[in-house]
């Protein structure tokens, strides 16, 4: 390859799907519509119902909003490339997608950390919960969780924007920063170090908050009755499942980017690369929509258009 700067990147992972592109396009379209429907229903419900303007539900709102953001950064571009014959993406579009997907991933972990902290306060310090988690504090935490990952990633992303590219092949369905950097004409010696530091900055504080929260919760639960332990665990299950689901997807993605995974079949690598956006975006609104009683009650009220009296509706929900 000569040293002329390229204007497009070729996504080589699409080559394995060339014989059944129409079927995969249909699957991705249905998945995208499902993600939008599930998350927008929860967003609309929380926004319109004043009763749901509580910290945990506000964090759920932010989580669902982020999943609409992340899936929109990924799936429409994937579907557009499936319809193409060259599987090429302009460098500017690729760099834009890099920013969207990385900030989606960072914000997701920030919100999950806030949810863990909220569960810690609700279970370990219930008498002081509303004093500590006031509306003012909640707004500050939401603002911090949005601003922090964007500013942190921008510091690293500015280095990527300064690169010129002499190679054009990305072995994925979409653009990620490390694969883009590998195509640069010359890779600065410090960019990998800065990238590793960025991972620590975007993961370590949130991870420590999550670990602290659940260590405290486990200690408090030891002194509770079995029924109280069951209720405490029930409030944590949706968050724990969301955290585990997202962590698995992130490990899949980081492993593929940082290490050679050529020993795996291409279809498995493709599934693993999409997991961190698609699976959480489908499961989280279901978990928090059906797993949170207050959201579930209000969702049923919305669906039934107030045809069932509230007392009967509540009784039905408790029995289910």
């Amino acid at each position: 390859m000569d040293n002329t700067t390229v204007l497009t990147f070729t996504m080589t992972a699409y080559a394995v799907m060339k014989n059944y592109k129409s079927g995969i396009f249909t699957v991705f379209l249905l998945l995208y519509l499902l993600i939008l429907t599930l998350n927008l229903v929860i967003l609309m419900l929380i926004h319109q119902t004043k009763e749901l303007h509580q910290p945990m539900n506000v964090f759920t709102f932010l989580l669902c909003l982020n999943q609409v953001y992340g899936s929109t950064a990924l799936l429409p571009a994937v579907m557009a490339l499936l319809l193409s014959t060259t599987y090429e993406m302009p460098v500017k579009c690729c760099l834009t997608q890099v920013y969207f997907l990385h900030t989606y991933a960072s914000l997701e972990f920030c919100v999950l950390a806030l949810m863990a902290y909220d569960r810690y306060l609700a279970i370990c310090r219930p008498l002081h919960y509303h004093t500590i988690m006031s509306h003012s504090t909640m707004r500050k935490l939401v603002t911090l969780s949005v601003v922090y990952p964007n500013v942190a990633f921008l510091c690293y992303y500015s280095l990527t924007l300064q690169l010129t590219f002499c190679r054009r092949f990305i072995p994925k369905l979409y653009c990620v920063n490390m694969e883009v950097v590998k195509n640069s004409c010359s890779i600065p010696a410090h960019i990998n170090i800065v990238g590793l530091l960025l991972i620590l900055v975007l993961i370590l504080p949130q991870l420590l908050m999550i670990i602290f929260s659940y260590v405290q919760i486990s200690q408090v639960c030891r002194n509770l009755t079995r029924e109280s332990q069951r209720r405490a665990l029930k409030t944590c299950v949706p968050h724990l499942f969301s955290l585990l689901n997202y962590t698995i997807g992130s490990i899949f993605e980081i492993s593929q980017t940082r290490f050679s995974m050529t020993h795996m079949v291409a279809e498995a690598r493709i599934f693993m690369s999409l997991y961190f956006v698609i699976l959480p975006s489908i499961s989280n609104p279901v978990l928090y929509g059906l797993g949170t009683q207050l959201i579930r009650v209000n969702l049923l009220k919305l669906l039934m258009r107030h045809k069932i009296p509230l007392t009967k509706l509540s009784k039905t929900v408790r029995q289910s």
Side-chain angles (χ1 to χ4, degrees), residues 54-192:
Q54 302 170 4
M56 191 61 174
N57 297 325
V58 172
F59 298 149
T60 299
F61 182 93
L62 185 57
L63 192 71
C64 291
L65 187 63
N66 189 50
Q67 283 153 6
V68 172
Y69 170 72
S71 59
T72 301
L74 175 66
L75 290 175
V78 170
M79 290 186 286
L81 286 169
L82 279 169
L83 296 177
S84 73
T85 56
T86 59
Y87 312 126
E88 291 183 347
M89 181 182 290
V91 169
K92 290 183 179 180
C93 293
C94 186
L95 290 172
T96 301
Q97 188 179 55
V98 165
Y99 178 80
F100 289 158
L101 288 178
H102 282 264
T103 50
Y104 153 79
S106 304
L107 179 56
E108 189 85 353
F109 200 43
C110 283
V111 178
L112 290 171
L114 289 183
M115 287 179 154
Y117 179 65
D118 181 83
R119 292 301 83 203
Y120 153 71
L121 291 178
I123 294 171
C124 301
R125 306 188 65 181
L127 298 179
H128 301 92
Y129 176 82
H130 292 290
T131 302
I132 299 173
M133 190 61 77
S134 63
H135 286 289
S136 175
T137 301
M138 180 182 65
R139 286 194 294 269
K140 291 176 183 177
L141 289 173
V142 169
T143 301
L144 179 63
S145 68
V146 173
V147 172
Y148 174 73
N150 277 276
V151 171
F153 182 68
L154 272 174
C155 294
Y156 179 66
Y157 185 63
S158 61
L159 300 177
T160 304
L161 294 178
Q162 297 173 24
L163 300 175
T164 55
F165 305 101
C166 299
R167 291 170 290 275
R168 66 173 70 247
F169 299 107
I170 294 179
K172 298 179 74 68
L173 297 181
Y174 52 88
C175 297
V176 292
N177 196 74
M178 183 53 62
E179 295 297 342
V180 170
V181 169
K182 290 177 183 177
N183 283 288
S184 65
C185 299
S186 61
I187 302 176
H190 61 278
I191 200 165
N192 284 327

Side-chain angles (χ1 to χ4, degrees), residues 38 52 56 97 116 133 135 137 148-150 153 160 196 208 223 234 254 260 268 271-272 276 300 302:
L38 291 174
L52 296 176
M56 191 61 174
Q97 188 179 55
M133 190 61 77
H135 286 289
T137 301
Y148 174 73
N150 277 276
F153 182 68
T160 304
L196 291 173
L208 291 175
N223 301 319
K234 186 177 179 180
I254 293 172
S260 174
F271 170 77
M272 288 168 57
F276 83 109
L300 287 174
L302 177 67

Side-chain angles (χ1 to χ4, degrees), residues 211-229:
I211 292 173
F212 167 80
S213 298
Y214 278 105
V215 167
Q216 295 299 313
I217 289 171
S218 64
Q219 290 178 349
V220 167
C221 285
R222 290 175 186 174
N223 301 319
L224 298 177
T225 63
R226 181 162 297 183
E227 178 61 23
S228 297
Q229 289 177 351

